[in-house]
């Protein structure tokens, strides 16, 4: 009897959709590209939310943010969603379920302890040998501080990565080395060349743990979510990755100046308000406000982009190692592999850096590739899809019965028997965290992207075919009235299954 296929979901954090090899920006991703060559690449995949926590909750549950309650970072997903989440349905189907890397399914920097392992002030309640269960994942190896916003904390305020980093008592030394800037120094404080040797960064740690999992597989098929925290800011990479791309040679946006006069009101108000909101000393270690843009000259953007590309290629090396391990074991042809990111990054678009409620293509669109048994090779599908479709797609591919969600399976698209007109994203922006209140709904169709604040009925509409840089807002153009109405109909067609927003328990 043939064993059910293994399933490995690989994700990155804050990787733009145009930052893989086939997109032509010069980013070297041969490992990721192998997935597309063996299967399908979706060229118009969007995130359901531009913030980590809400986007990841949607990937897990298959639900839009207003249907699982995590409408922004700092709002915890109810544990009850775990049973019908990705890991829950695969566990019930007899799979050995694993999570490796950055989860961010719960808030990290909170006002009070939440009792969850990812909460900075609650991690001490979980002993060093704790390995799950967590949101349906029976085996977890996670990190408490996946980036370098905070200072070092020793055990027991640690999870698996920090414990590994500190196994010989040198964790703080290594953590501080990662924050040390190698020459040449960059202009923007958000990016630097890390002094910590590459082997101690989280990217190879995740790759090693994943390979161990594959090599130690028992009789059960595997379901694993392998989650790399890079290339999320602060943008730091060790050698050789930080020197792989020369700043003068990377492709940067054509329009790198702030153009707020051409945009809806919330663009300006969000940037001004972000200067006033201080999201806790824990996140902003050493007094650094990581929510600020810093130097956004062309030279600075080039330096950031070069390091960002290096972070991606470092992840890609681990993706290649994972594929090689599966192939060496004879399991590659019987493994479904999906590669996605939780959301993108502005990276200089319109003078912006990081993320927020300005849903330009660099932030909204993410890489999306899938291969596995029965999936045709080498196809590119241009229909708009969403990362929250992952749950329904995988359930159909392996024959798992699962409760209904907001996703649409990609199987019909892959087999050429279905089409798709649009995908949705939504973001409740609240003044406590972002200084403004928005009920921001976004739709991406084949040709257009429209975002509208339902509180004020003010929005933006761009023709992504004739205006890929999103320079001309057609929202109030009388000539685009029909297109605007059609896209509002798409937004209003959303399932009527919204639930109350989860309480705000923290910042991130």
């Amino acid at each position: 009897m043939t064993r059910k296929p293994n399933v490995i979901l690989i994700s990155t954090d804050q990787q733009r959709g145009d930052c893989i090899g086939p997109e032509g920006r010069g980013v070297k991703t041969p490992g990721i590209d192998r997935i597309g060559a063996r299967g399908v690449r979706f060229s118009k995949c969007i995130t359901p939310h531009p913030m980590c926590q809400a986007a990841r909750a949607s990937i897990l549950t298959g639900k839009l943010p207003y249907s699982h309650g995590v409408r922004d970072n700092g709002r915890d997903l109810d544990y009850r969603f775990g049973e019908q989440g990705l890991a829950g349905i695969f566990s019930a189907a007899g799979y050995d379920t694993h999570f490796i890397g950055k989860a961010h399914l719960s808030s990290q920097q909170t006002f009070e302890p939440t009792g969850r392992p990812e909460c900075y002030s609650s991690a001490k309640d979980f002993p060093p040998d704790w390995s799950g269960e967590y949101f349906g994942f029976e085996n977890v190896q996670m990190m408490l501080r996946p980036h370098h916003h905070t200072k070092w904390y020793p055990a027991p305020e640690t999870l698996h990565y920090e414990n590994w980093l500190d196994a010989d008592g040198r964790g703080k030394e290594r953590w501080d080395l990662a924050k040390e800037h190698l020459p040449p120094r960059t202009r923007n404080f958000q990016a630097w060349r890390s002094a910590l040797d590459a082997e101690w960064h989280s990217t190879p740690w995740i790759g090693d743990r994943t390979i161990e999992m594959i090599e130690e597989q028992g009789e059960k098929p595997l379901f694993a979510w392998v989650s790399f925290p890079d290339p999320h800011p602060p943008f730091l990479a060790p050698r050789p990755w930080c020197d792989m791309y020369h700043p003068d040679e990377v492709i940067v946006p054509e329009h790198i100046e702030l153009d707020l006069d051409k945009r809806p009101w919330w663009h300006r108000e969000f940037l001004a308000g972000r200067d006033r909101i201080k999201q806790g000393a824990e996140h902003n270690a050493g007094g650094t406000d990581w929510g600020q843009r810093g130097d956004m000259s062309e030279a600075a953007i080039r330096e950031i982009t070069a390091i960002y590309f290096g972070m991606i290629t470092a992840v890609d090396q681990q993706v290649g190692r994972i594929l090689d391990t599966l192939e060496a074991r004879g399991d590659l042809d019987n493994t479904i592999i999906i590669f996605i990111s939780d959301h993108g990054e502005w990276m200089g678009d319109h003078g912006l850096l990081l993320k927020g409620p300005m849903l330009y293509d660099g932030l909204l669109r993410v890489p999306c590739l899938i291969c596995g048994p029965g999936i045709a090779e080498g196809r590119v599908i241009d229909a708009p899809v969403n990362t929250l479709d992952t749950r329904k797609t995988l359930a159909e591919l392996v024959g798992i019965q699962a409760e209904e969600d907001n996703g649409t399976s990609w199987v019909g698209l892959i087999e050429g028997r279905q089409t798709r007109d649009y995908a949705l994203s939504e973001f409740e922006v609240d003044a406590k965290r972002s200084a403004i209140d928005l009920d921001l709904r976004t739709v991406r169709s084949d040709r257009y992207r429209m975002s509208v604040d339902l509180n004020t009925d003010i929005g933006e509409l761009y023709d992504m075919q004739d205006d890929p840089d999103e320079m001309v807002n057609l929202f109030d153009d009388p000539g685009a009235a029909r297109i605007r109405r059609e896209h509002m109909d798409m937004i209003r067609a959303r399932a009527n299954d919204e639930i109350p927003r989860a309480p705000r328990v923290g910042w991130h």
Side-chain angles (χ1 to χ4, degrees):
M1 180 177 178
T2 303
R3 186 171 63 186
K4 292 181 180 179
N6 293 322
V7 179
I8 300 180
L9 168 63
I10 304 174
S11 66
T12 53
D13 193 329
Q14 207 146 325
Q15 183 175 350
R16 294 170 58 106
D18 60 7
C19 286
I20 55 175
E23 290 279 341
R25 284 197 67 170
V27 188
K28 300 178 179 68
T29 56
I32 298 167
D33 300 348
R34 279 172 66 186
I35 300 172
R38 293 180 61 87
V40 170
R41 175 169 65 90
F42 291 95
S43 65
K44 292 190 182 81
C45 181
I46 69 166
T47 178
H49 194 289
M51 296 289 164
C52 301
Q53 201 172 338
R56 290 161 182 270
S58 288
I59 294 168
L60 180 82
T61 64
K63 295 179 179 292
L64 285 160
Y66 286 28
S67 296
H68 57 58
V70 184
R71 302 186 181 193
D72 190 11
N73 281 1
R75 300 184 186 276
D76 281 357
L77 181 67
D78 193 311
Y79 272 140
R80 289 177 293 181
F81 283 105
E83 182 179 353
Q84 279 295 314
L86 269 172
I89 62 174
F90 274 90
S91 291
Y95 276 71
D96 187 16
T97 56
H98 294 253
F99 192 100
I100 300 172
K102 174 184 174 177
H104 208 175
L105 295 170
S106 301
S107 303
Q108 299 160 341
Q109 182 179 332
T110 59
F111 308 136
E112 302 291 340
T114 62
R116 298 191 178 203
E118 294 190 88
C119 171
Y120 292 154
S121 54
S122 293
K124 63 182 182 298
D125 300 329
F126 294 81
D129 61 353
W130 176 79
S131 60
E133 182 262 354
Y134 190 55
F135 281 106
F137 292 96
E138 298 161 339
N139 309 279
V140 302
Q141 298 182 77
M142 301 193 304
M143 45 192 54
L144 183 62
R145 292 175 170 83
H147 312 295
H148 288 271
H149 299 112
T150 73
K151 66 180 183 179
W152 171 258
Y153 287 83
E157 295 184 51
T158 53
L159 286 176
H160 306 86
Y161 169 66
E162 294 85 7
N163 291 334
W164 171 82
L165 200 65
D166 197 35
D168 58 359
R170 297 177 60 192
K172 182 180 186 304
E173 175 188 341
R174 294 183 177 111
W175 190 258
D176 291 344
L177 266 177
K179 292 174 175 285
E180 185 177 317
H181 298 211
L182 292 176
R185 293 184 70 91
T186 56
R187 292 166 175 80
N188 192 298
F189 73 98
Q190 291 275 7
W192 66 89
R193 296 168 174 82
S194 170
L196 180 63
D197 289 342
E199 64 185 289
W200 294 104
H201 281 257
S202 62
T203 292
W205 178 79
I206 292 169
D208 288 346
R209 303 289 84 72
T210 304
I211 288 169
E212 289 173 2
M213 174 196 68
I214 294 168
E215 291 179 338
E216 295 171 2
Q217 180 179 0
E219 292 301 315
K220 289 184 175 182
L222 288 174
F223 172 79
W225 186 346
V226 177
S227 176
F228 293 93
D230 280 353
H232 187 288
F235 306 106
L236 67 151
R239 289 179 172 144
W241 312 110
C242 61
D243 297 325
M244 179 168 285
Y245 300 90
H246 195 283
D248 292 343
E249 298 173 354
V250 297
I251 297 174
V252 298
E254 182 177 350
H255 306 282
I256 60 171
E257 302 296 329
L258 284 174
D259 50 9
L260 301 176
D261 290 341
K262 301 178 181 179
R263 310 299 167 184
W265 66 271
W266 69 78
H267 289 226
R268 184 182 301 278
E269 291 302 314
F270 173 77
L271 292 178
R274 189 163 64 174
D275 293 343
R276 300 191 300 268
I277 300 292
K278 305 303 178 186
Q279 295 182 10
E282 174 68 22
H283 187 71
N284 296 332
T288 302
D289 188 344
W290 297 106
Q292 300 304 303
R293 293 185 306 142
D295 187 336
M296 291 296 289
S297 63
E298 181 178 339
I301 293 171
R302 288 186 171 279
E303 291 170 345
I304 299 169
T305 302
I307 291 175
Y308 180 77
F309 284 6
M311 296 168 80
I312 291 170
T313 302
V315 170
D316 182 80
Q317 183 194 51
Q318 302 306 318
V319 174
R321 291 181 65 214
I322 293 167
L323 296 177
D324 288 345
T325 303
L326 289 166
E327 190 165 35
R329 287 175 54 86
D331 289 333
L332 185 56
D333 289 338
N334 194 44
T335 302
I336 299 167
I337 303 168
I338 293 182
F339 182 92
I340 56 174
S341 193
D342 57 355
H343 54 76
E345 155 66 47
W346 286 321
M347 194 54 61
D349 289 342
H350 304 273
L352 299 168
L353 188 70
L354 311 177
K355 59 202 176 205
M358 295 82 101
L359 293 173
Y360 293 115
D361 193 60
L363 179 59
L364 186 68
R365 189 166 67 93
V366 297
C368 181
L369 308 94
I370 182 172
C371 68
I375 296 174
E377 294 186 3
R379 290 190 61 206
V380 178
I381 294 177
D382 294 329
V385 299
N386 197 307
T387 56
L388 65 80
D389 300 329
T390 299
R391 176 181 175 274
K392 185 166 285 186
T393 301
L394 291 175
E396 182 172 355
L397 283 172
V398 301
I400 292 176
Q401 296 297 316
E403 289 182 2
E404 191 62 25
D405 60 22
N406 299 129
T408 301
S409 172
W410 302 330
V411 173
L413 290 171
I414 292 170
E415 295 179 350
R417 54 184 170 79
Q418 290 179 346
T419 59
R420 185 163 176 183
D421 296 328
Y422 64 91
L424 299 176
S425 180
E426 53 193 27
F427 183 6
E428 182 184 71
V429 185
D430 71 90
K432 185 177 183 69
R433 186 171 183 271
S434 300
I436 56 174
D437 291 310
L438 293 173
D439 182 1
L440 186 60
R441 311 296 181 106
T442 294
V443 57
R444 179 64 163 92
S445 64
D446 179 62
R447 181 165 176 172
Y448 298 92
R449 190 268 293 183
M450 189 174 85
S451 299
V452 58
D453 170 32
L454 296 187
N455 291 337
T456 61
D457 291 327
I458 293 174
E460 51 191 343
L461 170 66
Y462 301 101
D463 184 335
M464 304 300 295
Q465 176 178 295
D466 293 344
D467 180 26
D469 294 328
E470 298 169 281
M471 297 299 294
V472 180
N473 182 6
L474 302 172
F475 192 80
D476 293 318
D477 185 335
R482 177 184 58 81
I483 296 166
R484 173 176 162 178
R485 287 195 303 271
E486 290 173 352
H487 284 69
M488 279 304 304
D489 288 342
M490 296 173 189
I491 290 172
R492 293 190 179 105
R494 182 204 190 286
N496 185 25
D497 63 352
E498 298 181 15
I499 67 171
R501 65 186 177 189
R504 177 165 292 287
V505 299
W507 298 115
H508 305 283

